[in-house]
Amino acid sequence: MKLVRLDTREALFTQAAEWFARIGADAIGERGRFLVALSGGKTPRPLYERLAASVELDWAAVDLFWADERCVPPADPRSNYQSAREALLDRVPIPADRIHRIAGELDPLAAADAYEIELRRALAEAGRLDLILLGIGMDGHTASLFPRHQTLTETERWVVPVHAPAAPPWRVTMTLPLINAARHVLFLATGAEKAEAVRDLADGKPLPAAMVYPTNGDLTFLIDEDAASLLP
Ligand code: 6PG
């Protein structure tokens, strides 16, 4: 696990964009495709805008997935898909059939089942995701894996519905077995409001984000100085 502290948010998103592009180019060079899962929430948006504005990548060879989604229609402002659509998808030449969104408008269980089938089909050849972007909540949740929730003990399924202690409550999330099979996992955390969760993570508290540990891949935390403010 690599913990990288950046002086500013700007520096963090510059670093994140460089790594996204490098991991992407390597995957396309080695396997012809780059399978990446985006994270939701507010934190990654500047990264998506930067990827659209300044990163060279063969977007025709990129398959986009989501680590989780809120059970709302795709045009809903709370939709992780909608947020990425505005900041990235509408600005890069990625083919529509390579955008694998979670159908938040469906019944949560139906949406989870459908996404699991789609993921197993997409990964049948590639085997695993090349990169998963994740955020961390103030309670240490990541994707829609929340503290003390039964979804943390899932060992078979790759995607499950979740009734979360957050708004909106119904969500669909990737599970730890799928996340921990990825080649690269990149956490982004910015701002003082994340400092306690980052400190608790560093102290080894059993937070959901601490259960992300790729079995045969690398794990990197990019944090800015504000998010690192409670670390030694
Ligand atoms: C979601 C996210 C979630 C997010 C954290 C941090 O759908 O909300 O996937 O896991 O990454 O809640 O959210 P912020 O970046 O908005 O602080």
Side-chain angles (χ1 to χ4, degrees):
M1 197 273 272
K2 269 198 298 286
L3 180 69
V4 181
R5 298 167 66 149
L6 288 306
D7 295 345
T8 63
R9 277 166 54 84
E10 287 317 300
L12 181 141
F13 292 118
T14 301
Q15 179 90 71
E18 282 166 13
W19 279 1
F20 187 103
R22 176 177 53 73
I23 292 169
D26 290 353
I28 294 167
E30 288 158 26
R31 292 175 293 278
R33 295 172 64 188
F34 176 35
L35 286 82
V36 53
L38 302 181
S39 130
K42 297 183 298 303
T43 302
R45 184 144 183 153
L47 168 62
Y48 301 155
E49 288 160 353
R50 206 173 279 260
L51 292 174
S54 60
V55 162
E56 289 297 313
L57 194 60
D58 176 7
W59 290 101
V62 176
D63 281 275
L64 277 184
F65 300 87
W66 275 261
D68 73 326
E69 182 59 282
R70 295 92 178 263
C71 292
V72 294
D76 187 298
R78 297 166 298 170
S79 159
N80 290 337
Y81 164 75
Q82 177 59 18
S83 172
R85 157 131 257 134
E86 292 163 3
L88 177 63
L89 310 185
D90 285 348
R91 306 178 190 195
V92 293
I94 186 168
D97 64 356
R98 289 193 178 265
I99 298 172
H100 310 272
R101 75 176 180 86
I102 298 172
E105 68 275 22
L106 296 180
D107 163 80
L109 184 55
D113 289 351
Y115 207 56
E116 175 129 6
I117 291 166
E118 184 159 0
L119 270 163
R120 287 187 184 272
R121 189 183 308 127
L123 297 186
E125 196 191 310
R128 55 188 177 143
L129 292 164
D130 295 304
L131 173 63
I132 301 182
L133 291 176
L134 291 174
I136 182 169
M138 292 162 64
D139 60 357
H141 80 262
T142 191
S144 281
L145 298 168
F146 286 82
R148 295 172 299 284
H149 201 285
Q150 75 204 33
T151 49
L152 296 170
T153 59
E154 178 61 49
T155 56
E156 300 302 322
R157 297 202 56 163
W158 288 1
V159 187
V160 292
V162 180
H163 191 267
W170 278 109
R171 291 141 178 261
V172 170
T173 186
M174 289 183 174
T175 61
L176 291 168
L178 178 66
I179 293 172
N180 285 334
R183 287 188 175 84
H184 303 270
V185 175
L186 182 58
F187 276 93
L188 305 179
T190 63
E193 78 268 11
K194 300 297 172 67
E196 281 186 27
V198 168
R199 179 208 50 212
D200 291 349
L201 211 53
D203 289 349
K205 291 242 173 74
L207 302 173
M211 299 173 185
V212 173
Y213 213 87
T215 46
N216 177 16
D218 62 39
L219 172 63
T220 307
F221 273 83
L222 292 185
I223 59 176
D224 68 0
E225 271 314 310
D226 290 342
S229 55
L230 295 178
L231 291 180

